[in-house]
Amino acid sequence: MANKRDIRVKQRSFHVVEPELPEEKENTPKKRRKKKHGALRVTVRLLIVIAVLGGAFLLWKNWDSLAPEAVLDWVDEQLGGKKGSGYPVDITGSNVISMQGMGDKLAVTTDTSLTIYNEGGGQLVSRVHGFTSPITKISGDYILIAEQDGSRLRLETRRSTVLEMEVEGRIIAASVGSNGSIAVSMKSSQGYLSEVAVYNKKGDKLYRRRFPDQLIVATALAPDGRTFAAAGISAAGGAMKSTLTVFDVKKTDPVAQYESTDLMLMDVGYFPGGTLFAVGDTALWVVKPGGALDQKQTYTDSQILGYAIGSDCAAVVYRRHGNTSGGEVLTVAPGGDVLFTQSFNGDFRALSAAADGLLLLTSDQLHRYDIKGADSAQEIPRDGLKVTPLGKKTVVLGLSALTTY
C-alpha cells in the first residue's frame, strides 16, 4: 500500500504543475510591454545625456562671458599659476607707452605688446600688437589699441582679442565706449580734411561724418552708447578756432555745437553721468547732457602740462609762463564747478584720476588729493614716470619697474 500512495502523490504533483502552462501564455503580452517601456527609458536617457553634453559644450564655449570675473581670476590663479609674487615688477626691454588701471587690474601698453597684471603682480595676459605708435583707450572691460597715423586697430578684453580691423584713413585719434563701440577720427580725402566713423564691437559701421575744414583731434563716446563728441580745430581769419560738436549716431545733424577762437582743444571725455568735459590749451569746458554749455574755466598765461578725467572729477595741471618748475592743479566737478586749486613743487611727471580724487606725480613726490583737495604727499624715488590707481593702491612706473605705494 505504501507503493500505491507514492504513485498517487507523484500523479497529483504532476497534475498540479500542468495548469501553469496557460498562465505563461497569458503573461506574454506583459513581457512585450516591458520591452517597450525599456526602449522608451533608453531613449529618454539618451536625450538627457545629449542635452547635458550640449549644455556643457555651450558653457565651455561661452565660459568667458558667462562666468563671473572673480571666478575667472580664481581659476587663473589656481590653475594658471598667475597669482604673482607682488610688486615691484620688473619692466625691461620695452618702452612703456601707456599705463592705466582697470579696477583691480593694470593694463600696460609698450611699443610691442599689451600686458595685463593683477593686484599681486601676476601677468594675466600678454599680447603682441605690432603697432608703431599705439594709442590706448580703456572703458569698462574694453581696451582699444589704435595705430596713430596708421590704419589698424584692435579691441581687447582681458579674455580675448574681440576685434582686429583696418579703417579707411590714417588714424588721428580714437576712443572706446563701455559697450565696446569705437569712435575713430581719420585723415580724409576727396576734398575733406578729416572724418569720424563709429563702429560697434563687431566692426560694423554705425556712423560716418566728413569735415571739409576741421581737423578732428579727439573723440569720445557717451555712456548711453548713442551719442559721441568730436573736438576739432580750424583756421578762421588768421586765428585758430576750436569746435566741440555732439552727434547722435541715429541722426544726421549735430545735437549741439560750440565754438571758440584763440583756443586749441586737445581732448574730450565723458563723466559716467553723461556730462561732457573738453580740455584746451587755455580753458576747459563742461557741457551738460541737455546740450547747454554749463561752465568754462580758464588758465590763461599758462602752459598746460597734463589733464585727467575720472568718475567724480576732472583736472588740469598747468604752469605759469616764466616758471621753470612747480605748477597748479585745477579740479572741477562733473557739473563744472571748481572743487579745488592746489599748487605743487617739483617737476611735473604725470596725473591720473582715482576713485576718490587725484594722483599727481612729480619728480620726487606722490600727491594724493581727495575730492576736497586735502593732500597726502609721499616721497618716492626720482625715477617715477607714470602713475595710476590699482584697486586701493597706487602704481608708479619707474625706469625699470612697476612699484606700488
Side-chain angles (χ1 to χ4, degrees):
M1 291 185 63
N3 291 338
K4 286 183 180 180
R5 286 194 191 98
D6 290 341
I7 291 169
R8 285 174 186 172
V9 170
K10 288 180 180 179
Q11 285 177 346
R12 286 171 186 166
S13 299
F14 177 79
H15 287 295
V16 170
V17 174
E18 177 114 4
E20 293 182 359
L21 292 174
E23 291 183 328
E24 290 181 0
K25 291 180 181 180
E26 290 177 4
N27 289 336
T28 302
K30 292 183 180 180
K31 288 184 179 180
R32 288 176 182 172
R33 282 196 294 271
K34 287 181 179 179
K35 288 182 179 179
K36 290 181 180 179
H37 288 309
L40 182 60
R41 287 194 204 99
V42 170
T43 303
V44 171
R45 289 171 183 172
L46 183 60
L47 291 174
I48 293 173
V49 169
I50 292 173
V52 171
L53 291 176
F57 174 77
L58 291 174
L59 180 63
W60 170 77
K61 193 74 175 176
N62 299 282
W63 174 253
D64 289 350
S65 59
L66 294 176
E69 196 71 12
V71 174
L72 297 174
D73 289 344
W74 183 85
V75 171
D76 276 346
E77 292 178 0
Q78 301 301 319
L79 303 181
K82 299 175 180 178
K83 190 172 184 179
S85 56
Y87 290 86
V89 173
D90 291 336
I91 300 260
T92 57
S94 298
N95 181 26
V96 176
I97 307 297
S98 170
M99 183 182 73
Q100 299 179 52
M102 298 177 62
D104 59 352
K105 300 175 186 64
L106 178 68
V108 177
T109 305
T110 69
D111 52 358
T112 59
S113 63
L114 166 70
T115 304
I116 301 176
Y117 298 91
N118 59 19
E119 284 187 299
Q123 194 177 105
L124 298 176
V125 66
S126 185
R127 302 184 191 123
V128 176
H129 57 71
F131 295 171
T132 304
S133 300
I135 305 170
T136 303
K137 298 290 184 177
I138 296 176
S139 181
D141 296 329
Y142 293 96
I143 306 170
L144 174 66
I145 305 178
E147 185 178 33
Q148 191 171 38
D149 203 31
S151 59
R152 298 176 296 168
L153 59 82
R154 294 164 62 108
L155 184 62
E156 308 275 358
T157 65
R158 178 246 176 112
R159 292 289 149 188
S160 64
T161 299
V162 178
L163 175 68
E164 290 184 82
M165 65 176 292
E166 290 192 25
V167 295
E168 298 174 3
R170 292 194 171 273
I171 297 172
I172 302 170
S175 58
V176 62
S178 58
N179 63 349
S181 295
I182 302 165
V184 185
S185 66
M186 302 166 278
K187 296 176 183 177
S188 192
S189 58
Q190 301 177 354
Y192 295 93
L193 187 59
S194 63
E195 64 182 83
V196 173
V198 179
Y199 307 88
N200 63 19
K201 62 183 179 181
K202 296 180 179 179
D204 301 323
K205 188 181 293 184
L206 304 178
Y207 188 90
R208 183 183 184 185
R209 180 93 176 189
R210 289 179 171 178
F211 300 85
D213 57 357
Q214 284 190 61
L215 185 67
I216 303 301
V217 297
T219 64
L221 285 153
D224 62 12
R226 287 187 54 185
T227 56
F228 71 96
I233 56 175
S234 59
M240 178 178 291
K241 183 176 75 171
S242 288
T243 305
L244 176 63
T245 312
V246 181
F247 298 95
D248 189 314
V249 296
K250 295 185 177 181
K251 297 179 180 179
T252 303
D253 297 329
V255 175
Q257 190 172 77
Y258 312 95
E259 297 179 347
S260 179
T261 56
D262 297 324
L263 171 71
M264 183 177 70
L265 286 178
M266 304 168 63
D267 208 348
V268 62
Y270 278 93
F271 290 104
T275 305
L276 182 62
F277 170 83
V279 57
D281 61 340
T282 58
L284 63 84
W285 296 345
V286 178
V287 180
K288 286 190 174 180
L293 185 63
D294 183 62
Q295 294 282 0
K296 185 176 182 180
Q297 307 295 343
T298 61
Y299 34 90
T300 55
D301 300 324
S302 300
Q303 175 190 1
I304 186 169
L305 303 176
Y307 54 88
I309 180 170
S311 58
D312 299 319
C313 67
V316 176
V317 178
Y318 53 87
R319 179 186 299 151
R320 301 294 178 182
H321 289 305
N323 296 339
T324 58
S325 65
E328 294 183 29
V329 182
L330 171 63
T331 309
V332 298
D337 298 325
V338 176
L339 290 172
F340 65 86
T341 302
Q342 287 280 16
S343 299
F344 64 89
N345 298 317
D347 295 330
F348 170 77
R349 295 292 173 80
L351 181 71
S352 179
D356 55 353
L358 290 170
L359 301 172
L360 171 67
L361 180 66
T362 67
S363 53
D364 54 4
Q365 284 190 320
L366 171 61
H367 298 266
R368 295 184 179 91
Y369 298 106
D370 66 17
I371 204 68
K372 296 181 179 180
D375 180 15
S376 57
Q378 177 182 359
E379 291 189 3
I380 62 170
R382 296 181 63 86
D383 66 345
L385 301 173
K386 298 180 184 297
V387 65
T388 193
L390 176 61
K392 296 181 179 180
K393 298 180 180 179
T394 301
V395 178
V396 174
L397 168 68
L399 292 176
S400 60
L402 298 166
T403 307
T404 55
Y405 295 91

